[in-house]
Amino acid sequence: MDIWLALGQVAGDLLDLPVFHPSEREETVRDLHNLQSRLLARVGLRAIGWGQ
């Protein structure tokens, strides 16, 4: 949960930065979503007993 909340703070901070390239915001959002998916996958993997 701590990582999820920290990622939210990082996302907000990143999206507040000035945009220097037209696709920068889209790429940043995609990367953040990939990290969110990775975090959510870990919960699912633990639920099926992965890594125990």
Side-chain angles (χ1 to χ4, degrees):
M1 193 66 205
D2 292 337
I3 296 171
W4 186 267
L5 295 173
L7 183 58
Q9 182 64 49
V10 168
D13 292 345
L14 278 171
L15 294 173
D16 283 342
L17 293 172
V19 176
F20 295 118
H21 189 273
S23 63
E24 183 177 348
R25 183 173 292 271
E26 178 184 335
E27 291 171 358
T28 298
V29 169
R30 184 179 55 243
D31 292 340
L32 290 166
H33 284 167
N34 286 340
L35 288 169
Q36 288 174 330
S37 293
R38 181 173 283 216
L39 287 172
L40 290 173
R42 291 185 62 86
V43 174
L45 290 173
R46 286 186 187 145
I48 63 170
W50 187 279
Q52 294 180 354

